[in-house]
Amino acid sequence: MKKLLPFLFLLTVLGKAQAQVSFGQPSLLNDDWRFLRVDSAWNVFESADMKNASYDDSDWRTVTLPHDWGVEQPMSPDKGSCQGYLPGGIGWYRKVLPHPLTRTGDQQFLYFEGVYNHAEVFLNGHRLGMRPSGFASVLYNITPYLNKEGENVVAVRVDHSQEADSRWYTGSGINRNVWLITAPKVHLAQWGTAYRLKSIDKKKAVVEVDVETTDDRTDKSAPIRLKAVVELKDAQGKVVASATTNIGTQEKKTVLLTVKNPHRWSLDTPYLYTLKTILSPLSSLPSPLNDQSEVKVGLRTLDFSPDRGFALNGEWMKVKGVCIHDDAGVLGTAVPKEVWKRRLVELKDIGVNAIRMSHNPHAPEFYDLCDELGLLVMDEASDEWEFPKRKWMKGWNQGRPGYQGTYTYFEEWIDRDVADMVRRDRCHPSIFLWSIGNEVDYPNDPYSHPVLDRGGDDFTQPMYGGYKPDQPNAERIGRIAQRLAKIVKAIDPSRPTTGALAGVVMSNETAYPEAIDVVGYNYTESRYKEDHLKYPNRIIYGSENRHDLPAWRAVSENEHIFGQFLWTGIDYLGESGPWPARGSSAGLLDLAGQRKPQGWYRAALWSDKPVCFIYKRRQGRHQRIVCYTNAPTARLFNDGQPIGGEPRRDRRDGSFYWELDEPTGTLRCEAANGASYEIKKTGVPHALRLTTDSLCHVFVEIVDENGNRVEQADNEVSLYVQGTRLLGLENGNIMDVSVAGRRQPNRLRTHQGRLVGFIQPQKGNGEVSIRATSPFLPPVEIKF
């Protein structure tokens, strides 16, 4: 019975490569890769030679990882709208490795955080393996194929020739970090560390820590006894708990740590400890076997109840979540950590407290940021199971669909993909739900069931076109859900499993809802009360929801519904409307990471801080001034003079508004909570303004003679950089196809008077110079 599910545990933040693989000494391997994109007409014999160390790649491009070749290509209306009208294809990467072994007896590994997709990896012509998933992290032991003398060349063949294999843009290439790891033959196991919080109160916490070892020796006949020392350090680096155990070379041991006066990880104070594990031999051996790892650690509890919803550290709360894909406009899916940080900080300022990884595992450093910032995470395994979903080719929900997809390798790989997701990510305090799938139960796409003939809530009309007996029976979904949930629980019983259900009425006829601990409803708020009565032990939340007020009230006014995840937090590439739309504009932030009006609206609903925002909207012969605020009322001023009187209330979304003749001056709104917002009267474009908030973002604005941004301006801007690398320019305009298709993009039109440049620091220290120019405006330059 699912009356109450308590989940008490210790989790970790993985801020370094050691934390991702939990062993060895890692070094980043992102620089100086050679790259060539080929097509199906390429000479197959020459392509076969590209894996060999002797192959001449001197005329290939040099690229820095992470790298996504898709956004380097021009958009075309003959490509799939599901992928944002961008191409896939086949690409080869090659790199000469640094000198291999540093100590006698050591071995080396290549660790790929993600390659999209069907990546075959070779070393000196030897095939190390292939992984079809573009979202899985993969480790290869390269030691047996290393040349002791001379060069060692790694080659990667990436096959995204099925370019319409997803309902959204996935990118193409080695779009996440790559690491070279040096480790002894007996070492800590990859992703082998696990943590469980046995108990916690103000005075102490008791934590179980699993230590697992791996023995890569060819001859394992000689036993080796090892010692594992586990230390927990506080935020100041002081050891607050430790334990020691003897362990074998292919063994898992559990130790207990007692932490006095523990600090809890929470959304407001995401306190992180450091857990250090040291592995060493008990006796002197001719070959060094020392290994160690460090991970960040957060302590907190989770509770789920069918009647009260969700509690973090014993405090019942509403989850205010957003769904996010893993692209960032012009950057595609090769997104620096600093770009994600700025976006997550902005979302949290809006009032967001949870992120849904849609619909696959994301880059490891994304989870690190959620741990550090205090954001809950719903980690998700896949969007497709054993049969394909429709992929729209000419526009979203338009034209004739395609049926490429990940279903082609489902049976062979899904168990391992799910297991690797949980093993890789289970040490993050931010993760509070494991999702085994998204909308795999969408009625008649592909599964069907006789219940669809019975109709919807009024039982008068068939649902989704009625039952289609020629399509797969939906009862298969329940059996697969039971299988995948069992895999998750075997690895991590401390968190609940979930799934995002698109066809709840149909899935209720299967074993799917009972196979998971917490049931997500996509866009079916109308069933919250009914299903709560019908299934009183079911824990329900909104796993994907619209932005409208009724969808939020279905959460805020029902104690048993613990939260929702808006579709989406940020605009994303793919799932595009008719050409020339690059993607979906459903986000609170645009493709440039700037807050949109609907982001301000959500802040008015979700933020604990005073919020006030106004914007203009034409309403017939009048200008409507719309105000989003969490105050009980607000006042409007034009050049300091009150106008419009008391605002009216829009019953649909709860906003305030005034209908006026065209205002002639600066509009200022003052909310009763002390927040205010201005729309300044602006003149013609007069100058460029250039600012930066980090070593990754450059903000360009078109301003008038008073320094106010001219929102109507769409001037073309060119950006020139020295001492840094320009990754691209993004204006956030979902309809601007000129953003894609340049290898060295440094020119773009502004949208609403602004754009963002993404830069990447180069090796070494030195001065960075950034210069912006635009026709008929004086150039501007900054240095730092």
Side-chain angles (χ1 to χ4, degrees), residues 508-741:
N508 282 343
E509 303 296 317
T510 75
Y512 189 3
E514 290 301 313
I516 53 181
D517 301 307
V518 180
V519 185
Y521 284 36
N522 282 15
Y523 308 107
T524 44
E525 297 87 356
S526 62
R527 299 200 60 86
Y528 286 172
K529 291 184 179 180
E530 177 181 346
D531 280 13
H532 179 54
L533 294 173
K534 189 174 181 180
Y535 309 101
N537 295 319
R538 180 177 295 182
I539 302 168
I540 302 173
Y541 71 103
S543 43
E544 190 168 313
N545 304 87
R546 300 179 303 275
H547 293 248
D548 58 77
L549 185 58
W552 172 239
R553 283 179 173 166
V555 177
S556 63
E557 296 177 1
N558 288 287
E559 185 180 17
H560 67 285
I561 304 298
F562 69 73
Q564 67 172 192
F565 287 87
L566 297 178
W567 192 264
T568 59
I570 308 173
D571 290 355
Y572 59 97
L573 299 179
E575 206 164 5
S576 303
W579 174 267
R582 289 191 282 158
S584 168
S585 58
L588 304 178
L589 312 180
D590 66 19
L591 289 172
Q594 307 284 9
R595 190 184 302 193
K596 298 160 62 176
Q598 62 201 58
W600 284 100
Y601 174 63
R602 190 54 43 173
L605 293 177
W606 282 359
S607 179
D608 295 328
K609 297 179 293 185
V611 173
C612 181
F613 171 80
I614 55 173
Y615 73 99
K616 299 178 182 179
R617 187 169 70 199
R618 177 61 61 182
Q619 195 77 13
R621 295 183 296 107
H622 297 285
Q623 189 82 30
R624 175 171 286 192
I625 311 301
V626 180
C627 173
Y628 298 143
T629 181
N630 48 14
T633 188
R635 296 190 300 167
L636 188 66
F637 299 84
N638 184 41
D639 283 340
Q641 298 300 313
I643 59 171
E646 289 295 317
R648 302 179 189 178
R649 195 96 190 202
D650 190 321
R651 294 182 180 180
R652 294 171 302 173
D653 62 12
S655 64
F656 293 120
Y657 70 92
W658 298 264
E659 287 190 355
L660 309 169
D661 294 331
E662 187 71 37
T664 57
T666 293
L667 286 174
R668 178 179 176 83
C669 183
E670 295 181 355
N673 58 13
S676 63
Y677 192 88
E678 284 189 345
I679 301 177
K680 293 182 179 294
K681 180 183 179 181
T682 57
V684 298
H686 177 76
L688 293 166
R689 182 160 60 209
L690 196 58
T691 57
T692 180
D693 71 345
S694 68
L695 294 180
C696 195
H697 297 95
V698 178
F699 305 98
V700 184
E701 295 177 294
I702 309 297
V703 299
D704 65 9
E705 60 182 354
N706 295 317
N708 300 319
R709 177 166 59 94
V710 183
E711 292 195 16
Q712 296 78 20
D714 64 348
N715 301 51
E716 185 178 80
V717 173
S718 297
L719 208 64
Y720 303 92
V721 302
Q722 290 185 340
T724 189
R725 176 174 170 239
L726 179 64
L727 299 178
L729 301 178
E730 178 59 71
N731 58 20
N733 183 0
I734 205 79
M735 304 302 289
D736 189 348
V737 299
S738 69
V739 175

Side-chain angles (χ1 to χ4, degrees), residues 210-284:
D210 291 339
V211 179
E212 189 175 348
T213 60
T214 295
D215 189 348
D216 289 330
R217 295 177 300 163
T218 303
D219 181 7
K220 298 181 177 63
S221 59
I224 300 174
R225 297 303 297 172
L226 301 157
K227 177 178 68 175
V229 179
V230 180
E231 297 178 340
L232 188 70
K233 301 178 183 179
D234 64 15
Q236 288 71 44
K238 178 183 176 181
V239 176
V240 295
S242 65
T244 302
T245 185
N246 295 342
I247 191 170
T249 57
Q250 196 86 27
E251 191 176 2
K252 182 171 74 173
K253 281 289 188 74
T254 300
V255 300
L256 284 178
L257 299 179
T258 300
V259 187
K260 294 181 179 179
N261 304 316
H263 299 274
R264 297 197 188 213
W265 184 94
S266 69
L267 302 181
D268 295 327
T269 56
Y271 190 92
L272 298 172
Y273 293 89
T274 299
L275 186 68
K276 184 175 183 178
T277 306
I278 305 168
L279 187 68
S280 59
L282 283 174
S283 59
S284 178

Side-chain angles (χ1 to χ4, degrees), residues 293-438:
S293 71
E294 283 192 357
V295 295
K296 295 294 183 181
V297 174
L299 288 74
R300 52 93 167 115
T301 65
L302 307 174
D303 291 289
F304 292 84
S305 164
D307 298 317
R308 301 192 63 186
F310 166 72
L312 176 65
N313 296 321
E315 296 183 10
W316 299 97
M317 58 176 287
K318 295 296 185 182
V319 169
K320 304 170 182 177
V322 294
C323 305
I324 287 182
H325 281 309
D326 57 352
D327 71 90
V330 68
L331 299 175
T333 54
V335 186
K337 183 177 181 179
E338 293 80 4
V339 174
W340 280 126
K341 182 175 182 179
R342 173 174 168 261
R343 294 173 179 224
L344 291 176
V345 167
E346 183 70 12
L347 287 172
K348 189 161 186 180
D349 190 62
I350 286 172
V352 173
N353 62 21
I355 304 294
R356 178 186 176 203
M357 303 300 199
S358 308
H359 299 291
N360 47 263
H362 285 216
E365 56 197 10
F366 192 107
Y367 302 83
D368 296 344
L369 287 169
C370 293
D371 296 336
E372 296 162 10
L373 296 173
L375 288 163
L376 296 168
V377 168
M378 172 180 165
D379 212 3
E380 195 155 69
S382 65
D383 184 56
E384 194 169 82
W385 284 358
E386 57 178 346
F387 296 108
K389 293 180 179 179
R390 290 188 292 263
K391 314 297 189 307
W392 298 107
M393 308 304 291
K394 296 300 181 184
W396 186 69
N397 274 1
Q398 294 184 1
R400 190 171 183 176
Y403 289 94
Q404 296 178 1
T406 59
Y407 74 96
T408 55
Y409 55 85
F410 175 83
E411 280 301 330
E412 181 180 0
W413 286 97
I414 190 60
D415 291 9
R416 184 172 175 181
D417 285 347
V418 170
D420 283 358
M421 175 189 75
V422 178
R423 284 177 60 83
R424 189 197 75 170
D425 296 341
R426 61 182 164 169
C427 294
H428 288 281
S430 55
I431 295 176
F432 79 127
L433 288 170
W434 297 117
S435 171
I436 59 174
N438 170 65

Side-chain angles (χ1 to χ4, degrees), residues 8-33:
L8 301 136
F9 50 95
L10 169 106
L11 298 161
T12 66
V13 176
L14 309 182
K16 298 181 181 179
Q18 296 98 315
Q20 291 305 316
V21 293
S22 300
F23 77 98
Q25 300 176 10
S27 57
L28 202 57
L29 207 64
N30 284 351
D31 294 333
D32 302 322
W33 286 76

Side-chain angles (χ1 to χ4, degrees), residues 391-504:
K391 314 297 189 307
W392 298 107
M393 308 304 291
K394 296 300 181 184
W396 186 69
N397 274 1
Q398 294 184 1
R400 190 171 183 176
Y403 289 94
Q404 296 178 1
T406 59
Y407 74 96
T408 55
Y409 55 85
F410 175 83
E411 280 301 330
E412 181 180 0
W413 286 97
I414 190 60
D415 291 9
R416 184 172 175 181
D417 285 347
V418 170
D420 283 358
M421 175 189 75
V422 178
R423 284 177 60 83
R424 189 197 75 170
D425 296 341
R426 61 182 164 169
C427 294
H428 288 281
S430 55
I431 295 176
F432 79 127
L433 288 170
W434 297 117
S435 171
I436 59 174
N438 170 65
E439 294 188 343
V440 295
D441 63 332
Y442 199 93
N444 291 328
D445 186 19
Y447 295 97
S448 195
H449 191 277
V451 73
L452 299 180
D453 276 342
R454 291 189 230 157
D457 294 336
D458 58 3
F459 295 97
T460 60
Q461 297 292 330
M463 300 176 65
Y464 300 94
Y467 175 48
K468 299 184 184 301
D470 293 336
Q471 294 190 202
N473 190 288
E475 291 181 2
R476 300 171 65 95
I477 302 172
R479 293 192 289 271
I480 295 173
Q482 290 169 332
R483 163 184 157 195
L484 299 184
K486 185 177 180 181
I487 292 170
V488 174
K489 287 297 186 184
I491 300 169
D492 179 24
S494 65
R495 298 181 190 84
T497 56
T498 188
L501 276 60
V504 178

Side-chain angles (χ1 to χ4, degrees), residues 143-165:
T143 310
Y145 312 108
L146 287 169
N147 292 323
K148 305 304 179 185
E149 304 292 337
E151 290 186 340
N152 288 282
V153 179
V154 57
V156 183
R157 182 183 186 271
V158 185
D159 186 351
H160 191 200
S161 54
Q162 287 197 33
E163 58 190 13
D165 60 353

